[in-house]
Every structure is written in C-alpha cells, then in structure tokens.
Amino acid sequence: MSLAPDFVLAGGNVAVPGRIIRGGWVSVRAGRIEATGEGAPPAAVRTVDARGRFVLPGFVDTHMHGGLLYQMSAGRYDPARAAFDDADARIEEGFERVPRAHARHGTTSMLVTSGCQSREALLRFLRIGSRYAGRTERTGARVLGLDMEGPFVRNPAFAGALDPSNLLEPTPALLEAFAEAAGGQLRKILVAPEWGASALSTIRRARDFGIVCSVGHTGCTGDEFRSAVDAGAAVFVHFGNGPSSQDFKRGGAVDVCLEMRGRVAAELILDLHHVHPLWVNAFLVALRFQVLAITDATFLALAPDDVREAKFGPYTRILNEERTTVFLKDKPGMLSGSASTMDRMLGNLLTLFLYAPVGHVVGPIFDHPLSLDEALVRALPLFTETPARIYGQEKRLGRIEPGLLADLVLARIEDDGRRVSVGVDGVWVEGEPIPA
C-alpha cells in the first residue's frame, strides 16, 4: 500500500502546462509534486483548502537587487543616518531576509543581482552570496545563484542609474576572479558588446564556466550585438526601457535583439512604467513571448511607509506615488529599478491581456478576446517556465508537473472588470510552507 501524500492542495484552479484545471488538486510528497487531477483529491496527511483560488507554479525572478532597505551588494540603508551600513553582517542579513520577503509575494526562486560597486565590494558580495546560493533549508525563496549587472559597462551615457565611476573593461582574467569568489554560484553577468575583442573573449570564457552572459546598458551597434550573441550572450537586460542603443538606420541593440529572437531572451520589468503597456504588448509579439518577467527590485521594494527616498552611490532614488517604481531625483525621468513584486507584475500583465490587448505597430496581440484562464496560461510562462529553462532549471522547477519540486503559490486572482489583481495566500518551497 502506498503512503499518503504529505499534503494536498484541493479544490483550487490548478495551472498545469497549457491549461487551468478548475476544481483541481495537487498532491505533494517529499518536497516534490506527486500528482495533479480534478474532482475528489486523494487522502493525504494534510489537506489545504484551495477553493476559490488558483494554484500556480512558484515565480522565478532572475533579476533582483534587494528589498526591505537591503541592497544585496551594498548592505542596508539606514534612514536615521541617511547612509548605507555596508558591514558584512548587513549583507548577510539581506541574504536571510530579502528572499523570505519576496517569497511572500510568490517568488520561490531568484538570482540575486549586484549593483555597480567597486571591484572589492563586488568580490565581497560574491563571497558572501556564495554561502547562501544553493542552500537546502527553505525559509524563503531559493537563491539559484548570483548575477552581476556591473561593472562591464563601457559608455557612461548608457550606465543609467549605475555608478559610472566603477565601470571596468571585461577580461577573461577578471571574469575568472569573479567566478572564483562566487564559488561556482555566478549564474549571469552583463557585458557591453562595444568593448570589442575583450567583450567577446570574456563572453566566450563565461560560457566555459556555464555562466549566462547578458547584454544591456549598451551603446553597441547592431553588428556588435550580433557578434556578442554569436559568442554566447543569451539575455537582454531589462529590454525596452533603456539605456540601450536603438538605431533605425544601422541597427542597434534593441533592433537586432528583435531580429535575433529565438536566440536571445529579453527581460521585461512589468511595472508599466519601465515600458509603456502598448510597447509591452508589441515586444511580446515581436519576441514571440521569449520574455523573462523580472522585478529588478531595489532596496526600496517593500520598504517602510515612511521611507520614500534615499541616496545610493552618486544618486538619490525616489519612489513614485504607487511605490512600485524608483526614479533618480538627480536625473528627471531616469528610472532606477522597481519597488514591485512578481505577484503585482503578474496582475499587470493579466490586465493588459484582458483589457488592453493591443500593441504599438502590431495591433491586436491575440486573435480573439481571452478569458482569465486563457490569459493566465499565456502570462505564467514569463514568470515561471521560461526563466527556469533559460537558466537550466527546467527539469527541477517552473511548472506544476509530477516529479518537479513542489514550489507552489496559492493565489487570489480578482478581476473587477477593469483590472486584475493578484494576491498571495500561501507559498511552498520544495513542499515547505513559507511563514506569512
């Protein structure tokens, strides 16, 4: 006689690949999904009532800088001193607390992303972060590995909110130093292609280490972008919101990324400020939905209500009224990451699919009006399956499927006839519940 599952989520609307099982169930045993079905669930040690809610695969956020006033590579912002406490202990606290906070919003796996600090600060971030990546205890989102957005940007005009004083030319030797400090946990690194031969040799060396190279913060030509992809670059960082080259005459990074769809996955920040909603829709069609939904969350995500602005590096960052997006006070109109979470961004995308399914240039993005279930089936892979595949995790996570890790989200999805909101009632990482 087989043992009963450890628990069953029963009576919910279960998002399995390609469809929603209305009134379905998911059973979990030993941290993995055992089975899914509809109708009466199997007997289990414990049953969780999911009626009226959706059971989703856990979200995979592959570009996340922090939250709760922690910038993961810089420490914690202290409002009383209006300065960062950059002690090792504060960075360690960030790795303990921030994945837990984002998990409460449905993120069950993440890459932790650096800023553009000094070489010494980045090496320290990698050394500390390596101790948390791949940990087995499940008290928050799983840290799949580490990500570096700096320092391999060439042109300060394209640095955006990154500190231009810390830009460095990429070399295979410097990449190897970063990889060694990360102890095998460096998963992604940005390289601007306009560095030329040094960029291409670094991208090739990263591929040897199994590190995904990304392109962004770049003024490269179209030909330079093509060469970077041929060398192994595979991800475009926060596509469409800049700062990246676009040239209708010769082709820039944005233009050629669209041309090379299928070989490059593009990150989109879906707070509806970084990219206009009609361009979000247009890019989804142009990129054939080969898109990674990311938060690009900064230390101001999930910050206390009485903190609205703070200085980090050379710039003062300020939250918008909705507390979803960060702007540079010193550079009007310049964005500096988000203060949003994956659940909120999923609600934004569902709203576009149901109530504004039109894109610049492309027109209607679907051939018929979508139901909520259809919209969810189209939207979820950007948050789950696609990032899992791009970072080599598709055999472990990203779908509700027997044998995969039981990373699950119990979500309230509410549609008021104008917009869709997503709230999170429960999260499990490898079958372990994350405390509310």
Side-chain angles (χ1 to χ4, degrees):
M1 179 181 295
S2 63
L3 296 174
D6 297 333
F7 70 94
V8 171
L9 289 160
N13 305 312
V14 181
V16 297
R19 69 189 183 107
I20 306 296
I21 303 175
R22 286 272 167 177
W25 52 265
V26 181
S27 62
V28 174
R29 186 201 302 271
R32 293 186 178 270
I33 297 165
E34 182 179 57
T36 63
E38 53 190 320
V45 174
R46 183 167 60 92
T47 298
V48 177
D49 184 359
R51 287 176 297 179
R53 293 169 289 181
F54 287 78
V55 182
L56 311 177
F59 307 142
V60 183
D61 187 359
T62 55
H63 189 143
M64 191 289 310
H65 294 275
L68 301 177
L69 300 182
Y70 292 93
Q71 190 79 357
M72 302 297 278
S73 57
R76 186 179 188 275
Y77 180 75
D78 180 354
R81 296 191 303 118
F84 271 83
D85 179 349
D86 64 355
D88 286 6
R90 300 294 85 73
I91 295 177
E92 292 165 353
E93 284 175 4
F95 274 96
E96 292 284 354
R97 296 178 182 179
V98 173
R100 191 178 309 145
H102 281 281
R104 295 182 185 120
H105 294 269
T107 297
T108 56
S109 295
M110 59 170 56
L111 294 182
V112 174
T113 307
S114 75
C116 190
Q117 282 87 41
S118 68
R119 173 176 173 169
E120 293 72 24
L122 291 173
L123 288 169
R124 182 180 66 157
F125 159 74
L126 294 170
R127 284 192 291 268
I128 293 174
S130 69
R131 303 202 301 264
Y132 293 87
R135 286 205 316 188
T136 55
E137 55 266 42
R138 295 289 168 244
T139 58
R142 173 188 304 105
V143 177
L144 290 173
L146 307 173
D147 171 28
M148 298 180 69
E149 190 171 355
F152 295 153
V153 174
R154 180 167 191 175
N155 188 338
F158 289 91
L162 301 179
D163 187 342
S165 69
N166 290 320
L167 306 185
L168 295 174
E169 181 173 0
T171 67
L174 187 49
L175 173 82
E176 290 167 11
F178 287 145
E180 181 179 359
Q185 299 297 337
L186 183 57
R187 300 285 179 248
K188 181 176 68 163
I189 189 166
L190 181 149
V191 179
E194 61 267 38
W195 284 107
S198 62
L200 299 181
S201 61
T202 302
I203 292 170
R204 294 188 188 102
R205 190 69 178 119
R207 188 171 56 187
D208 295 339
F209 279 94
I211 299 167
V212 173
C213 264
S214 60
V215 172
H217 289 281
T218 176
C220 70
T221 67
D223 286 342
E224 288 169 334
F225 186 89
R226 288 187 192 91
S227 295
V229 175
D230 288 341
V235 171
F236 197 120
V237 168
H238 44 56
F239 184 85
N241 67 280
S244 295
S245 58
Q246 181 272 314
D247 187 337
F248 285 129
K249 297 180 181 68
R250 299 176 302 157
V254 171
D255 318 71
V256 177
C257 181
L258 294 172
E259 171 195 320
M260 301 188 80
R261 58 192 178 188
R263 296 183 62 188
V264 183
E267 298 178 350
L268 279 180
I269 305 169
L270 296 172
D271 61 357
L272 307 186
H273 289 281
H274 278 79
V275 182
H276 188 280
L278 295 183
W279 279 120
V280 169
N281 288 335
F283 292 151
L284 289 174
V285 172
L287 293 163
R288 297 175 183 165
F289 285 75
Q290 179 79 349
V291 166
L292 310 169
I294 62 164
T295 61
D296 197 18
T298 69
F299 67 102
L300 289 172
L302 307 171
D305 290 343
D306 59 348
V307 178
R308 186 158 178 259
E309 68 175 73
K311 188 169 185 179
F312 173 50
Y315 305 120
T316 298
R317 327 269 164 151
I318 186 165
L319 284 165
N320 65 345
E321 291 297 329
E322 297 89 355
R323 301 181 69 86
T324 61
T325 307
V326 184
F327 290 81
L328 291 187
K329 192 174 184 179
D330 320 76
K331 293 184 177 182
M334 177 71 72
L335 296 166
S336 178
S338 94
S340 198
T341 51
M342 292 288 264
D343 54 350
R344 187 160 188 166
M345 290 187 174
L346 177 58
N348 289 342
L349 191 59
L350 292 173
T351 298
L352 292 187
F353 284 2
L354 292 180
Y355 298 111
V358 177
H360 285 312
V361 182
V362 301
I365 64 172
F366 302 117
D367 59 10
H368 67 279
L370 301 187
S371 67
L372 176 59
D373 284 9
E374 289 174 314
L376 193 56
V377 166
R378 294 292 193 109
L380 270 177
L382 282 66
F383 295 78
T384 58
E385 189 172 348
T386 301
R389 175 172 52 79
I390 294 298
Y391 292 97
Q393 300 292 317
E394 69 274 17
K395 293 182 179 179
R396 300 177 66 224
L397 50 91
R399 305 180 306 284
I400 296 180
E401 192 173 283
L404 271 60
L405 296 177
D407 294 353
L408 301 168
V409 178
L410 184 61
R412 288 170 285 105
I413 301 182
E414 299 173 352
D415 179 0
D416 68 5
R418 293 177 302 151
R419 67 164 287 112
V420 180
S421 62
V422 177
V424 173
D425 287 345
V427 178
W428 292 261
V429 177
E430 290 188 37
E432 293 294 325
I434 302 301

